[in-house]
Amino acid sequence: MSRTAFKSLLAVPAIAVMAMGAGVGVSAFPGTAMAADVAVASQGPVVELQVMQQVAGDPDKATVGAGVTTRAATAQAAMQQNAAEMDKVLKRLDSLGIDRDYVQTTGIRLNPQYDYRNGEQPRFTGYEASNTVSVELRDIDKVGDVLDALVAAGATNLSGPEWGIVDDSGARAQARKAAWEQSLAQARDYARMTGYRDVKLLTVSESMGFSAPVQERALMVQASAPAAKTPTRPGQVSTQVTLSTRFELVN
């Protein structure tokens, strides 16, 4: 069952009170029309706040990286060998029923290799080719099984998993609302403490983030222990919103 937890990460990392404020631009929230040319002039002192709130929830997707690295005496041979091995990995992904829209090539590299020894000129030893894909998995209970299957198919490089939420718009809305309410309450606290009646919003801007409190790295599975399955624990992931606001203190 899905769980969400609401948390206040950061109250006020930076506060500045200024004597007078000039005309300032207004930033709209993402998804609305920008109002960068609208200016709101301030007549009184201005308080600047930055508040971050986050909502934690259960992830429903995981992203892993999988690839193949090969070496050969010539560049062409290294690339050809790599292509043959990577084709096996991609076909294995198809056989696992993973939608091709969720599989994306993220890097193809070819580099000369040298043997470096103390006091000697580097000796050319051949070429190394690598091909890596990013795979998004919507069934997080099968992440370990997929990683093991990819290694069995010939993958030599694995990374991740990175846990996430497919649609975190609800969590963002919760975090945004809480950040705004905290910003307004703190600005009014400053108004009262300095002898003013209330505050007027001058600017507000938003930045959004995503973090995984617990992120496990999938290590390369050794061929000497094929019976062991790769365990994973998704934990919870956090959706966070940071509001930067400027309020004028008014009577």
Side-chain angles (χ1 to χ4, degrees):
M1 181 178 294
S2 176
R3 298 173 288 129
T4 59
F6 180 77
K7 197 183 296 183
S8 171
L9 275 188
L10 189 56
V12 188
I15 301 174
V17 178
M18 298 171 289
M20 294 292 292
V24 292
V26 177
S27 299
F29 288 120
T32 64
M34 294 301 293
D37 331 273
V38 178
V40 179
S42 64
Q43 302 300 319
V46 173
V47 58
E48 295 184 352
L49 302 173
Q50 188 175 65
V51 173
M52 179 165 58
Q53 293 279 352
Q54 75 172 14
V55 173
D58 296 331
D60 56 8
K61 71 174 182 178
T63 303
V64 300
V68 172
T69 298
T70 55
R71 289 186 177 184
T74 66
Q76 184 177 15
M79 289 295 288
Q80 289 178 342
Q81 292 177 21
N82 191 273
E85 293 300 315
M86 194 63 190
D87 186 59
K88 297 176 184 177
V89 172
L90 294 176
K91 287 180 177 177
R92 187 70 179 109
L93 289 171
D94 289 337
S95 70
L96 292 171
I98 298 173
D99 193 319
R100 291 192 175 190
D101 288 342
Y102 297 154
V103 180
Q104 183 179 58
T105 299
T106 56
I108 298 175
R109 296 177 177 81
L110 176 67
N111 297 299
Q113 299 298 297
Y114 296 90
D115 181 17
Y116 294 90
R117 297 184 181 182
N118 294 333
E120 297 182 9
Q121 289 292 329
R123 182 174 63 87
F124 174 74
T125 59
Y127 287 89
E128 179 180 273
S130 63
N131 189 332
T132 305
V133 293
S134 174
V135 184
E136 184 176 304
L137 305 172
R138 295 297 179 91
D139 187 348
I140 62 174
D141 292 332
K142 295 183 178 178
V143 171
D145 292 336
V146 170
L147 293 175
D148 291 339
L150 292 176
V151 171
T156 57
N157 310 317
L158 295 179
S159 63
E162 295 179 3
W163 309 100
I165 299 174
V166 175
D167 181 8
D168 65 348
S169 56
R172 290 193 188 280
Q174 292 181 54
R176 179 182 299 117
K177 182 175 184 292
W180 165 251
E181 290 175 349
Q182 184 178 346
S183 296
L184 182 58
Q186 290 184 190
R188 284 174 170 164
D189 282 343
Y190 275 93
R192 286 191 291 270
M193 287 187 292
T194 53
Y196 287 85
R197 178 181 57 83
D198 204 352
V199 296
K200 179 177 72 174
L201 177 67
L202 298 178
T203 64
V204 57
S205 62
E206 174 183 296
S207 61
M208 294 179 289
F210 184 82
S211 64
V214 180
Q215 184 182 79
E216 298 183 7
R217 285 289 175 184
L219 301 178
M220 187 180 301
V221 178
Q222 298 297 321
S224 58
K229 292 186 177 180
T230 301
T232 61
R233 294 182 182 177
Q236 286 198 312
V237 295
S238 298
T239 300
Q240 65 187 38
V241 171
T242 300
L243 288 187
S244 298
T245 54
R246 299 177 74 242
F247 292 91
E248 178 188 355
L249 307 183
V250 297
N251 286 313

